[in-house]
Amino acid sequence: MNNQRWLAKNFFMFFITWGIFLPYWTGWLINDKGLTVSDASIIMGFGLVARAISTILIFPYVSKIMSNKNVLVFFTVASLVTAILYVPIDSFIGLFIMTMLFSALYPALLPAVESSAATLMQHGGIHYGKARSLGSFGYVVAVLIISMITGMYGEQMILWAMIFGLTALLAIQLMPAPDVLSLAPAKETGKSLSMKGLFDVKSFIVVLFVVILLQGAHASYYNYGYIYLQELNVNPFYIGMILNVAVLFEIIYFLKADTFLTKWKPSSLMLLAAIGSTVRWILIYAFPNMPMFIVSQALHALSFAMAHYAFIRYISQALPKEQIPNAQGIYSALAMSLSAAILTLLGGALYEIEPSLAFLGMVICTVPAIVLILLTKNRFNY
C-alpha cells in the first residue's frame, strides 16, 4: 500500500473512534449505563490517570519489543476486546474496572499512529499535514454521525459505534503496511538523553506547567459538554453539529499555524491562549444558552489549538531533537491526562451544584496561567 494512503487511512479511522470516545463516553455511561454524573466523573477521572500511566510506562515498553505495525495491531485488538466486554456490565465497580482497562489501552493508539507517522516521515517521504488533516475530518464525521444515530436510536449506539470503528481500524492494521513499519525495533547503540535532563532547562518547567493548566482547563468541556447541551434542551440531532464548531476552528488554526503569528514567541501565543480560554469559560457561565455556547466554540482555536501549537514550537526551538520525544511523553501524560483527570473530578462536583459552574470552575487554571506567563516570559525568554 502507498505510504501516504496507509497513514491517511490510519489517522482517519483512529479519529473516527476518537470522535466517539472523547465527547460521548461520559454521556454514554450516564444515559445508557445509568450512572450519576458524580459516578461517571469518578470513573472518567481515574480513566485519565490510567491513560497517563499507560503513556509513560506501557506504550514505551510495548514499542521497545514490537515493530510499529505490531504495536498498532496489539493496541487495536486489546481495545476492541475490552470494548466488547463492556456490553454485559452495568455495575459501578464493573464499569470502573473496564474503563481503567480501556483507558490504559485505547488512547495508546494515538501515540502509536503518531510514531508510525514520524517513522514514515524519515523513510517514506510522506506529507504529514495532509494525512493528519484527514484525521481531523474523521473526528468531525464521527461527532456528526453519533449525534444523529443517538437521536434516532438512543445512547446505547455509542458503544456499538465504537466496536464497529475499532473493527474497521483492525481491518486496516491487517492490511499490508509500509515495509519500514514491519521492522523489529533496533537495538540501542548509544546512551539516550534521560527524561530527567529536561528539567535542567528551567524554561521547560515553566512552559510545561503552563500547558498543564491550559489543557487541563478543557476537562469540563470534554466530559460535560455533551450532557450540558442536553441540559439546555438541545435536540440530540444538533449536538454533534455544535460540538463540531470547535473542531472546525481548531482545524482552521492548524492549517494556518505555520504562517499565522509566526513572529510571536511561544510565551505570547500561550498568553493569548490563556486569555481566550478564560473568556470562553466565563461566557458559558454568564450566558447559559445554546447561541452563546456556539459562539464560545470559536475560542477553541485559542484555548486548545494555539496552546498546543505554542508548546510544539517551544520544544522544537528550545530542546535538542533527542529530547523532543521525552518532552512529548511528559506533555501527553501530565497536560493531556493527569491534569484533566483531577479537573474532571472538580468539574463533576461543580456540575452537581449548577451545570454552568463546571465551566466557570476552569478559570482556576487559566487565570494562574496568565499570571505565570506574565511573571516569567521575560525572565526565561521563551
Side-chain angles (χ1 to χ4, degrees):
M1 183 185 293
N2 175 275
N3 291 359
Q4 185 74 35
R5 287 200 301 271
W6 182 92
L7 184 61
K9 287 181 179 180
N10 270 273
F11 268 128
F12 178 74
M13 201 63 240
F14 170 75
F15 276 97
I16 284 279
T17 64
W18 199 240
I20 299 168
F21 179 72
L22 199 60
Y24 291 110
W25 215 246
T26 302
W28 169 69
L29 288 172
I30 294 168
N31 295 316
D32 185 48
K33 292 297 186 178
L35 296 182
T36 65
V37 172
S38 179
D39 285 345
S41 300
I42 291 171
I43 287 177
M44 294 303 292
F46 278 97
L48 285 167
V49 175
R51 175 181 166 187
I53 294 171
S54 175
T55 302
I56 293 175
L57 300 176
I58 299 175
F59 172 71
Y61 174 76
V62 173
S63 298
K64 286 181 181 179
I65 62 175
M66 295 182 182
S67 66
N68 291 85
K69 173 181 170 61
N70 288 338
V71 168
L72 284 165
V73 172
F74 170 78
F75 281 111
T76 304
V77 171
S79 300
L80 177 57
V81 170
T82 307
I84 293 171
L85 291 175
Y86 262 119
V87 174
I89 297 175
D90 292 307
S91 68
F92 174 82
I93 296 298
L95 290 169
F96 182 91
I97 293 171
M98 292 310 303
T99 303
M100 295 307 99
L101 185 59
F102 192 68
S103 298
L105 296 169
Y106 166 68
L109 281 166
L110 181 54
V113 177
E114 292 283 6
S115 295
S116 296
T119 301
L120 290 176
M121 288 174 69
Q122 293 177 342
H123 299 277
I126 57 99
H127 298 285
Y128 173 83
K130 291 180 180 179
R132 181 60 181 80
S133 65
L134 195 59
S136 298
F137 177 69
Y139 184 94
V140 171
V141 169
V143 174
L144 285 174
I145 290 175
I146 295 302
S147 69
M148 288 187 288
I149 64 173
T150 54
M152 291 186 289
Y153 303 109
E155 271 78 9
Q156 71 271 14
M157 294 304 298
I158 293 172
L159 177 61
W160 293 110
M162 174 62 81
I163 291 172
F164 176 81
L166 289 171
T167 301
L169 184 60
L170 179 59
I172 293 174
Q173 308 312 335
L174 296 179
M175 293 178 181
D179 292 339
V180 68
L181 299 182
S182 300
L183 299 175
K187 299 289 185 181
E188 292 187 18
T189 56
K191 186 177 179 181
S192 60
L193 293 177
S194 70
M195 198 170 284
K196 188 189 303 183
L198 283 172
F199 297 98
D200 293 333
V201 183
K202 289 188 171 23
S203 60
F204 177 77
I205 302 173
V206 176
V207 170
L208 178 63
F209 192 57
V210 168
V211 292
I212 285 172
L213 291 172
L214 294 182
Q215 298 298 0
H218 292 82
S220 286
Y221 171 70
Y222 289 144
N223 286 283
Y224 310 115
Y226 174 70
I227 60 174
Y228 179 69
L229 289 171
Q230 290 181 322
E231 194 82 32
L232 295 178
N233 297 314
V234 177
N235 189 312
F237 181 84
Y238 298 110
I239 290 179
M241 298 179 187
I242 294 171
L243 293 175
N244 264 338
V245 172
V247 184
L248 291 174
F249 277 92
E250 171 189 324
I251 292 171
I252 291 169
Y253 177 79
F254 279 133
L255 285 173
K256 299 294 183 181
D258 290 327
T259 56
F260 183 60
L261 301 177
T262 53
K263 294 183 180 180
W264 285 41
K265 291 182 178 181
S267 58
S268 298
L269 293 174
M270 289 178 190
L271 181 60
L272 183 55
I275 294 171
S277 186
T278 303
V279 172
R280 182 183 186 185
W281 311 131
I282 290 175
L283 282 177
I284 294 175
Y285 171 75
F287 305 96
N289 56 65
M290 181 181 69
M292 188 52 70
F293 190 92
I294 295 173
V295 170
S296 74
Q297 290 286 76
L299 292 171
H300 196 70
L302 301 181
S303 67
F304 170 76
M306 186 172 284
H308 178 76
Y309 182 77
F311 179 75
I312 299 302
R313 182 190 283 186
Y314 166 78
I315 64 175
S316 67
Q317 294 174 351
L319 302 178
K321 65 179 182 179
E322 295 86 358
Q323 283 286 22
I324 289 177
N326 290 336
Q328 289 176 329
I330 292 177
Y331 172 66
S332 178
L334 300 184
M336 307 299 282
S337 299
L338 280 180
S339 63
I342 295 169
L343 289 161
T344 294
L345 299 177
L346 172 63
L350 292 174
Y351 194 96
E352 294 278 16
I353 300 170
E354 169 62 41
S356 60
L357 270 178
F359 300 94
L360 181 65
M362 296 301 102
V363 302
I364 197 174
C365 292
T366 60
V367 172
I370 293 172
V371 174
L372 182 60
I373 296 166
L374 291 173
L375 290 175
T376 61
K377 65 190 303 260
N378 292 327
R379 178 182 177 186
F380 295 112
N381 192 31
Y382 61 92

